[in-house]
Amino acid sequence: MKIIQIFPGKIWGGAEQYVLDLGRELRRRGNDVIFMARDCDTVTDHLDRDGEKYLRLPFSWSLDRSAVKALASVMSDADVVHIHSVKFVPAAVMAKRISGSNANIVMTRHDAHRTPANIFFRPFFRQLHNIIFVSDMARRAWTGANRWFPAGKCKVVLNSIPPYEPEPVESLRDKYSIPPSTPLLLFSGRVKKTKGCEVLVKALCQLADREFAMVFIGSWNHRGYDRKLLSLAAKAGIADRIHFYGFTDKARHFIKQADIAVAPSVFRDPCPLSNLEFVQNGICEITTNNGGQAEYLVDGETALLVDPADHMQLARAIARVLDDKELRARLAAAGKAYYDANMTYDKFVDKITAIYR
């Protein structure tokens, strides 16, 4: 198949990584894949560093004539055009008409907002071959606000992570002088309020009498946010046990060093990739029950799930796995076993290609 993959945003995030990983695997399977990216340095610089070829897509709004023309120029013999934002629906449909293409236009919906489509744009949406939702929660949210859209065109394919070879990275224990016997807790992602970082620090403040070290890997949205979190920790006397590594493009290669992974998002993440990285690597995980992760993680069986923004409940969950190594090991093994049996990247791509056809 000839497949056009269009990167959705102006920043590099989970959706952009999803597109890159999917396109590479489709190409490995013998498909002709063309990447298109908006003229935005944050995204194009990342692709340039990865040595990935792409076409620039001029795009300012949903009915951008330049975008339609650029798409039409490569679309005539395409089998699939895979977009990853509602903004591209009208442009892709108009490009298909102009080019005379028979391509199936597929959209992946990466968020879980209850957003009704503009009435003017609904005829364009009806031309979509399918919409792929990264969790059933995301599907329910969008279809609840768009009951006019055909239910048969709505498909759910939970996210997945391609396998990767671990790269050598520095030891977090050595960097922060963490003894081998001290449980290492890890957070991976944007360090911000919606990801539950303050809730996590407040929970750790309740566990000052226990032995642990906490490492946050990822950039923070606001300058000084790390100092705010450390100020909270200082009041409980645990500031010396909390460390901020900052941004690294090798974040996933640090995951294996963790004893416990914590992902306490207060935002309803549709299907966050960091949670999948934890279970893929066989790390005991504590997360919230308000997002797509509750569709593949079972509390007490494959992870511990807590209510969002409840730091006392989160503290009790962390205490359970700090105190019980057997529970920690059992949750880690069960989470990985479920992932290996149901959510591998091969299975994920098989489902996507079935929808393409």
Side-chain angles (χ1 to χ4, degrees):
M1 288 189 288
K2 179 178 178 180
I3 304 165
I4 299 172
Q5 293 281 350
I6 303 177
F7 288 92
K10 296 181 178 180
I11 63 171
W12 193 267
E16 286 68 31
Q17 190 65 50
Y18 174 109
V19 177
L20 181 61
D21 290 339
L22 176 57
R24 285 175 167 173
E25 176 59 20
L26 290 168
R27 187 179 291 154
R28 190 190 68 79
R29 294 186 178 199
N31 298 286
D32 179 11
V33 177
I34 296 175
F35 286 125
M36 300 190 80
R38 298 168 70 172
D39 195 8
C40 174
D41 289 344
T42 307
V43 175
T44 57
D45 286 353
H46 192 108
L47 294 173
D48 289 337
R49 287 195 301 271
D50 281 1
E52 196 62 62
K53 293 181 179 180
Y54 59 92
L55 300 176
R56 290 181 182 268
L57 179 66
F59 185 87
S60 58
W61 73 301
S62 293
L63 295 175
D64 190 315
R65 291 184 178 180
S66 298
V68 173
K69 184 177 179 180
L71 266 172
S73 68
V74 296
M75 198 170 172
S76 61
D77 61 343
D79 298 294
V80 177
V81 177
H82 194 160
I83 60 179
H84 299 265
S85 169
V86 296
K87 296 177 182 178
F88 293 104
V89 172
V93 171
M94 288 192 293
K96 178 176 178 176
R97 292 173 184 169
I98 292 171
S99 66
S101 171
N102 291 317
N104 290 330
I105 302 175
V106 175
M107 179 178 73
T108 291
R109 180 86 171 151
H110 292 274
D111 55 37
H113 300 306
R114 186 181 171 87
T115 308
N118 187 305
I119 293 177
F120 177 73
F121 289 151
R122 289 182 183 179
F124 296 109
F125 277 83
R126 289 192 176 96
Q127 299 304 308
L128 293 175
H129 178 62
N130 282 118
I131 298 180
I132 300 170
F133 296 89
V134 298
S135 64
D136 194 57
M137 181 194 77
R139 181 196 62 80
R140 294 194 309 271
W142 194 81
T143 57
N146 296 278
R147 298 186 185 280
W148 52 269
F149 189 79
K153 290 187 175 185
C154 297
K155 313 294 184 182
V156 175
V157 181
L158 293 174
N159 280 342
S160 185
I161 302 290
Y164 60 91
E165 288 295 326
E167 296 180 14
V169 290
E170 64 182 321
S171 165
L172 295 174
R173 290 186 180 276
D174 290 346
K175 181 178 178 66
Y176 299 115
S177 301
I178 302 170
S181 60
T182 298
L184 173 58
L185 282 68
L186 184 76
F187 170 94
S188 179
R190 299 294 291 273
V191 182
K192 57 181 182 178
K193 186 174 182 179
T194 58
K195 290 296 184 181
C197 296
E198 288 180 48
V199 179
L200 175 52
V201 172
K202 288 179 180 178
L204 294 174
C205 288
Q206 306 300 314
L207 305 174
D209 60 332
R210 287 176 168 81
E211 186 179 8
F212 68 85
M214 177 77 227
V215 178
F216 288 85
I217 294 183
S219 59
W220 39 87
N221 273 18
H222 304 290
R223 183 173 296 179
Y225 188 64
D226 57 331
R227 293 194 296 274
K228 178 180 180 179
L229 297 180
L230 284 174
S231 177
L232 285 174
K235 294 176 182 178
I238 61 168
D240 60 334
R241 291 188 256 171
I242 296 179
H243 312 283
F244 295 91
Y245 189 89
F247 172 78
T248 171
D249 58 4
K250 298 185 183 299
R252 59 172 50 176
H253 301 289
F254 286 96
I255 288 175
K256 281 285 191 182
Q257 299 184 29
D259 296 302
I260 302 163
V262 190
S265 181
V266 298
F267 174 74
R268 295 181 71 215
D269 283 312
C271 196
L273 297 182
S274 59
N275 293 72
L276 294 168
E277 289 175 335
F278 298 146
V279 292
Q280 181 194 53
N281 281 280
I283 306 299
C284 172
E285 180 176 3
I286 302 171
T287 188
T288 43
N289 57 15
N290 61 329
Q293 59 270 30
E295 294 177 27
Y296 60 88
L297 294 174
V298 179
D299 181 41
E301 294 184 18
T302 55
L304 294 183
L305 275 64
V306 300
D307 295 334
D310 189 333
H311 72 277
M312 293 302 294
Q313 191 180 149
L314 179 58
R316 290 193 292 271
I318 295 173
R320 284 183 65 188
V321 291
L322 285 176
D323 296 344
D324 191 338
K325 288 185 179 180
E326 290 185 6
L327 173 62
R328 189 193 312 170
R330 178 169 59 79
L331 293 173
K336 180 170 174 53
Y338 183 86
Y339 178 90
D340 290 343
N342 301 280
M343 300 183 69
T344 61
Y345 204 66
D346 277 344
K347 291 182 174 65
F348 165 80
V349 178
D350 287 344
K351 294 173 184 176
I352 297 292
T353 53
I355 289 170
Y356 285 170
R357 295 191 176 96

